Amino acid sequence: MMASFTRLIAGRNPAVLLASLGAGTVAAGVLLSDSSALSAEGKKSLYPPSADFPDLRKHNNCMAAALTPAIYAKLRDRVTPQNWTLDQSIQTGVDNPGHPFIKTVGCVAGDEESYEVFAELFDPIIKDRHNGYDPRTMTHPTDLDASKITNGVFDEKYVLSSRVRTGRSIRGLSLPPACSRSERREVERVVVTALAGLKGELTGRYYSLGDMTEQEQQQLIDDHFLFDKPVSPLLTCAFMARDWPDARGIWHNNEKNFLIWVNEEDHTRVISMEKGGNMKRVFERFCSGLKQVEQLIHERGWEFMWNERLGYILTCPSNLGTGLRAGVHVRLPNLSKDTRFSKILDNLRLQKRGTGGVDTAATGDTFDISNNDRLGKSEVELVQMLVDGVNYLIDCEKRLEKGQDIKVPSPVAQFKK
Amino acid sequence: MAKNCHNDYKMKFSGDEEYPDLSLHNNHMAKVLTRDIYQKLRGKSTPSGFTLDDIIQTGVDNPGHPFIMTVGCVAGDEESYEVFKDLLDPIISDRHGGYKPTDKHKTDLNFENLKGGDDLDPNYVLSSRVRTGRSIKGFTLPPHNSRGERRTIQKLSIEALATLSGEFKGKYYPLDGMTDAEQDQLINDHFLFDKPVSPLLTCAGMARDWPDARGIWHNESKTFLVWVNEEDHLRVISMQQGGNMKEVFRRFCTGLLKIEETFKKHNHGFMWNEHLGYVLTCPSNLGTGLRGGVHVKLPKLSTHAKFEEILTRLRLQKRGTGGVDTASVGGVFDISNADRLGSSEVDQVQLVVDGVKLMVAMEKKLEKSESIDDMIPAQK
C-alpha cells in the first residue's frame, strides 16, 4: 500500500492526488516517507482548501452567508502585510453560529489591509450588512459639523439620556484581533499622550485598567464607565481579550460627559453622553472632541484609519463608515405596546435595545433607541435621522396618551442617488 | 493553520516592548519566563509555525487558579518541546519533581505488573477510573491544528476504533451528529464532554471550530471510552463503579495497546520519545499522561489535620467529584496520582491502589475514634 503511494506521489501533483485519494490516507504516506515534522508549507499542499472549509450548515451570520468554497479556496493562503489570515478573520463566525437577537457579522479585520486583501469576502458582507452599499463603486461621506443639526433637544419627560459613540483606529498599528502586545501598548501611548493635550471642558484623566486603585475602580463602576474583560464569545473568539488587561484603559473628562475606551473592541471608542435630552449638545461635544484628538495625534505624525470607500476603518465590518451609534434612553410605555412599534422603528431606520446595551432585552418601558445605519450616510445625516425619528416616536407616545391614533411613517430613503 | 502567524512582523518590535506583564501571575510559565528567555526564543518557530507567544498565551491570559498551580503554556506540535526547550525544560522540571533534560522516562503498560488493586472496599470506594491521552504523529496539536487536520484525526480514529472487538466493540458519536436521544444518554452516563468553558483551554485556542470533528466513542458495556479532539487528539478512559482498580487498569492497558496497534498498522504511531514519554498538549500530562483515581468517601480523614500531608507523602492529589476545577461534595473525594513523568503507568497506579487502601483503613480507624498516628506513611 505504502509503496504504491510513494510511486504515485513522486510523479503527480499532490493536490490532484489528494482529491482522488482522500487527504487523510495520503497525508500519512507523504509525511512518514519524509521527516515527521509537518511544515507550514507542507500543510498547504497536504490539506487543500476544501479540507479546511468550515462547516457552516447551522450558521446564520453574514460571513456564513457570503463565504463560498470558491472564495475560501481563493483567499485561504493569502496574508496581509502583517501576516493576518482569512482563517483568523472568520474564526469568530465559525465559532459562533448565531445570536438570538441580532444577525451577527461573523468576521473581523486584523488590520487596515484586511478589507482589501480579503475583499472578495468583506465586500459582499459589507453589502449585506449596510443596505447594499458597494465599496467598489460608492463613496462614503464624512461630516462632523454639528451645527447642522436641527430640533436636537428632546422632551425630557420622555428622554432620560442621550449618547453618541464611535470608534477610531490608529493607522499603522494592527487592530485588536491581531495586535501584538507592543502594538497595543503603542496605541495606548499615542492616544493617552494626545488626550493629555485636551483643554477646557475636555480636560480629563486616564485610568489604566491594570493600575487603577480600588477606589478609582469603584467610582468608574458607579459612573457606569468601567468596561470589563469581554465575556461575549463574539469577541473572545476573535482574539480581542488576549493579554487582558495589558494596555487597556478609560479616559474621561472632569465633567464626565466625554469618555474614551482604549483597546477594547477597537483601538479607541469615543463616547459623548449626558443625562437628559440635549442630543445637539452631546453631538457638538462629540464632534469637537474628535476633531481635537485628531489634531493632537497629527501633531505627532499619526492619523486615523480612513478611506473614502469605507470611511473610518474599525475592527468589525458593522462599524465601518461613521462607526456611529447615536441613541437615547427613552420611555415609551404606550407606543412600546402598540403592534406597529417595530414597523415604525424599521421605517425610521432605528433599532431598539435594552438599556443594558447590545445583548440585553428591554425592561419596563424604557428603551435604548439608536440609528441602524453606519455606512453610506454621514455622521450629521445619521444623527439628524435619529433626532427626527425620536421626535416622531415621542409624538406618537403623546398621541397615544391622549387616545389619538398614530401613523406608520413612510420608509426613510436609502442612499442618495 | 497557524493561530497567529504574525511572528516576522512582530520581530520589528523589541523583546522588551513585547514582553508580557506577568507581575500578578502565579503559574509555571510566569515563574520561568524571564526577559532573557523571552528575547532568546521570540524569533523562533516550529516548522508548522507555532511560536513562543502562541505557547504562552494561555498563561498570560490566566494569571492564576484558586485550587491548582497551572502550567500556563501549551505545545502546538511535537517539535514545540524541542524548539522551545529553554522555556519548557525548566517548566517540566518544576512541574515534574525536578525531572532533568537528560532523564529517561519509563513506559510500562503491562497490567500484570500491578499488585493487588482488586480489593478496595466498595463501601468507601464508589468508582475507579484511569485516563490518559495520546497524540497522533504527523499532526499538530489542538491549540494549533487546522480544520483539515482535525477532521483527518477524527477519520483515522473512527477507522481505528471500528476494528476493536470483544469487550472493546463499540460505537462513535460525533458531537455534531448525534440525535437528542443519544445526547441525553451520553449525559446520563456522564460521558458527554462539552465545549470547553475553562479559559485555560479557550485562551489556548482549543475550542476553535467547535464541535467540528469532535466526538465520543465508547464500548457497549460503557467501561471504555475515547474522546476525540478535545484537549488532546485522544483521551482514553477506563472506568467502572466500585473499587476493582485492577480490572480497570487491565482494560485500560489492553484497550490502549490494541488501539495503538491499529494506528501503527495505518502508519500513525503515537507521539512518544524516551525523554518525555507520551507527548501531549499540556506539559503537565507528559510521560504517562495518566491519571488513575477513585471517588472515595473520606469524611473523617479529609478533616484530619494531617490529610494534606498524608496525600503529599503518598504522592496523591485530591479533587472534587466534578473533576479538576471543583470542590468535594459530601466528604467524597476524587483521589488520584500526582505524578505523570519519571515513573511508569504501573508505578503510578500502584501508588493509587496502595495509597487509597491505606486511607480507607485510616478512615475506618477514625470512625472508631482511634488514632491514626502510627499509620502515617513515610514520603514515597
Side-chain angles (χ1 to χ4, degrees), chain A residues 32 52 88 95 180 182 243, chain B residues 3 18 61 147-148 209 267:
Chain A
L32 294 169
D52 279 335
Q88 288 169 307
D95 289 345
S180 71
S182 69
D243 314 314
Chain B
K3 184 161 58 84
E18 287 290 350
D61 290 345
R147 285 179 290 272
D209 313 315
N267 289 305

Side-chain angles (χ1 to χ4, degrees), chain A residues 346-376:
Chain A
D346 273 351
N347 286 3
L348 294 173
R349 305 218 49 74
L350 298 177
Q351 62 175 223
K352 70 179 197 293
R353 298 183 184 189
T355 48
V358 67
D359 282 339
T360 65
T363 51
D365 305 322
T366 308
F367 291 82
D368 175 323
I369 302 289
S370 63
N371 55 297
N372 259 339
D373 305 325
R374 306 270 184 271
L375 174 64

